[in-house]
Amino acid sequence: MAKGVRLVITLECTECRTNNDKRSNGVSRYTTEKNRRNTPSRIELKKFCTHCNKHTVHKEIK
């Protein structure tokens, strides 16, 4: 069976790890899909972080 081109990835907030003045403890994470052929590098998207209570950059993790 052939490998699929679309991968399920996890996006994690970059400011939650370094910022201690957050609204609550924890790290914001989103899951989405990406096409392996069109975007071979790691994705960075601006998403709303519920812990920072603002829009921040979310980077792809393993």
Side-chain angles (χ1 to χ4, degrees):
M1 194 164 175
K3 264 188 164 177
V5 176
R6 294 197 87 38
L7 295 173
V8 176
I9 59 167
T10 304
L11 301 171
E12 184 175 73
C13 179
T14 56
E15 292 188 21
C16 280
R17 288 184 175 176
T18 59
N19 188 6
N20 293 330
D21 300 328
K22 295 187 293 186
R23 189 175 67 147
S24 63
N25 294 330
V27 177
S28 174
R29 289 191 173 152
Y30 286 94
T31 57
T32 186
E33 289 185 350
K34 80 168 187 177
N35 190 319
R36 189 186 320 205
R37 290 185 189 145
N38 295 340
T39 54
S41 60
R42 292 188 180 252
I43 293 179
E44 290 183 5
L45 296 174
K46 273 194 122 176
K47 305 286 274 181
F48 183 77
C49 177
T50 56
H51 300 286
C52 298
N53 203 27
K54 61 182 178 180
H55 284 85
T56 59
V57 175
H58 285 64
K59 289 186 179 180
E60 179 182 342
I61 60 171
K62 286 186 179 180

